[in-house]
Amino acid sequence: MIEFPLFALVLGPVLLAEALLARHEVMAYTAGWRTPTTELPHGMPYARGADPDRPPAAYLVYLDGIGKRRFTDTRDGGRLVKAVIAKAPELRVLGQVQPYSPLAHPLVNRPVWEWLRHRAGILLFLHNVMQIFVAADRRYRPLYNHAVGAQIADQLCRAGYRPGSGVPVVLLSYSGGAQVATGAVEELHARLRAPLRLITLGGFHNGANDLTHVRHLYRLTSGSDWIERVGTWIFPQRWPLFRRSGWNRAVRAGKVSTYALDPATHMGRRSYIDPDERLPDGRSHLDRTADAVVALIHVHPFPARPNARLNVGEARSGG
């Protein structure tokens, strides 16, 4: 009984500090006190996959979950990106975007956070969790959406994207990256005039962002993913009652399709990106998720079914 008050006493101030730091970064961006990072580390390409000298089938931007703290991918995110590139080398894939930093500054490049990483690594996750809630807060959401949308647009252009070219842009987001992906839509539409598609994998987002300029949103989920379900419970804009929210308007417009990847979990063993656990058909969870992503990128026309189980063969053939 004593442990819980002590835990709350320690964690409370930490969460408060994290919340203040998260808000400070978006305000620093808006006020122009600090300049966003645009250059990548030496030798790191702006995109992988298709040759930049000819238009790829699509540009895919991967927005990782809360473990993202450097330009390179997390372990699980890296596995997914590599699997997608292996199955669809005609895509041009970007994984360096910092979803949880309006200034595009990786946490590992900040001396204080690097020190904390070796002593209290959980604070890195708390920082990114707080950034999700700042991005969802109606007071800061427009500023955050503008900042990260501009970051994505800049990285796409540096990777060879030509605004107005008509080449599709797909935002693939995992977990909290879905909040950033849905928020970046308006900025990307204004800057790139690109056909936009979103794929959320266990997406955690508040449903408030406007999805008018999204061609389609594919929601990959699982009945065993309790973290994704929590997002549908705690954010009122995801409830059917709030018909005017961006999410519910998109659902009524037929822009949202839900596909089940049961029995995948959100993280850990049997997660969507688990390379070891096998499904009845012999594939790993990672292989099935990569197959689903590639199939949905290639599907045309957009499916009108609001809920369905993904048939990869059908999606590959274009319906």
Side-chain angles (χ1 to χ4, degrees), residues 1 73 83 93 165 186 193-194 239 263 313:
M1 294 298 293
D73 301 312
V93 183
S165 64
E186 291 300 295
R193 304 181 303 283
W239 304 349

Side-chain angles (χ1 to χ4, degrees), residues 42-76:
H42 178 72
M44 183 176 183
Y46 282 99
R48 290 166 283 172
D51 192 323
D53 294 332
R54 57 184 180 184
Y59 282 78
L60 175 68
V61 180
Y62 177 62
L63 302 172
D64 213 340
I66 61 170
K68 183 75 169 181
R69 57 180 183 264
R70 50 171 55 90
F71 283 117
T72 53
D73 301 312
T74 61
R75 181 189 61 181
D76 288 345

Side-chain angles (χ1 to χ4, degrees), residues 27-257:
M27 297 307 294
Y29 169 87
T30 304
W33 298 334
R34 296 174 62 188
T35 304
T37 299
T38 55
E39 300 295 331
L40 298 182
H42 178 72
M44 183 176 183
Y46 282 99
R48 290 166 283 172
D51 192 323
D53 294 332
R54 57 184 180 184
Y59 282 78
L60 175 68
V61 180
Y62 177 62
L63 302 172
D64 213 340
I66 61 170
K68 183 75 169 181
R69 57 180 183 264
R70 50 171 55 90
F71 283 117
T72 53
D73 301 312
T74 61
R75 181 189 61 181
D76 288 345
R79 287 171 177 163
L80 179 58
V81 168
K82 288 177 181 177
V84 169
I85 293 175
K87 295 173 185 294
E90 69 278 7
L91 303 177
R92 196 145 167 74
V93 183
L94 292 76
Q96 70 271 16
V97 173
Q98 303 298 303
Y100 312 108
S101 173
L103 291 167
H105 290 170
L107 285 178
V108 293
N109 289 351
R110 310 179 197 184
V112 172
W113 289 105
E114 185 64 15
W115 183 87
L116 286 171
R117 182 170 71 89
H118 297 286
R119 293 162 178 82
I122 191 173
L123 293 182
L124 299 174
F125 292 97
L126 288 177
H127 175 274
N128 288 349
V129 168
M130 284 300 174
Q131 288 286 14
I132 293 173
F133 284 98
V134 169
D137 190 318
R138 62 182 179 82
R139 297 168 296 176
Y140 304 100
R141 189 172 67 245
L143 306 176
Y144 201 102
N145 290 348
H146 171 75
V148 181
Q151 179 191 159
I152 296 172
D154 176 77
Q155 292 295 314
L156 279 165
C157 290
R158 289 172 180 267
Y161 192 87
R162 292 183 298 166
S165 64
V167 177
V169 172
V170 180
L171 302 183
L172 169 63
S173 58
Y174 168 59
S175 192
Q179 180 65 47
V180 179
T182 56
V185 167
E186 291 300 295
E187 192 70 20
L188 290 176
H189 173 73
R191 289 178 178 247
L192 303 181
R193 304 181 303 283
L196 286 172
R197 247 182 281 185
L198 272 59
I199 302 174
T200 64
L201 180 61
F204 186 92
H205 65 98
N206 72 341
N209 290 312
D210 187 1
L211 300 176
T212 300
H213 297 296
V214 171
R215 297 289 183 90
H216 208 84
L217 185 151
Y218 304 96
R219 176 183 170 225
L220 301 182
T221 186
S222 169
S224 301
D225 184 350
W226 65 268
I227 292 179
E228 201 255 9
R229 288 203 306 278
V230 166
T232 67
W233 297 339
I234 67 173
F235 294 118
Q237 294 93 337
R238 297 287 300 274
W239 304 349
L241 177 65
F242 288 78
R243 293 176 54 82
R244 297 181 63 185
S245 72
W247 175 257
N248 284 318
R249 292 200 308 270
V251 170
R252 289 199 307 277
K255 289 187 174 185
V256 178
S257 296

Side-chain angles (χ1 to χ4, degrees), residues 225-310:
D225 184 350
W226 65 268
I227 292 179
E228 201 255 9
R229 288 203 306 278
V230 166
T232 67
W233 297 339
I234 67 173
F235 294 118
Q237 294 93 337
R238 297 287 300 274
W239 304 349
L241 177 65
F242 288 78
R243 293 176 54 82
R244 297 181 63 185
S245 72
W247 175 257
N248 284 318
R249 292 200 308 270
V251 170
R252 289 199 307 277
K255 289 187 174 185
V256 178
S257 296
T258 299
Y259 295 104
L261 295 182
D262 295 335
T265 59
H266 193 85
M267 56 188 178
R269 183 173 172 270
R270 293 196 300 114
S271 76
Y272 299 107
I273 315 177
D274 186 340
D276 300 317
E277 191 75 14
R278 296 288 158 177
L279 296 159
D281 63 7
R283 290 181 299 171
S284 69
H285 283 254
L286 172 62
D287 283 334
R288 180 181 63 173
T289 298
D291 285 340
V293 168
V294 172
L296 291 174
I297 291 172
H298 288 159
V299 68
H300 183 80
F302 303 112
R305 297 167 296 173
N307 292 279
R309 288 188 176 274
L310 178 63

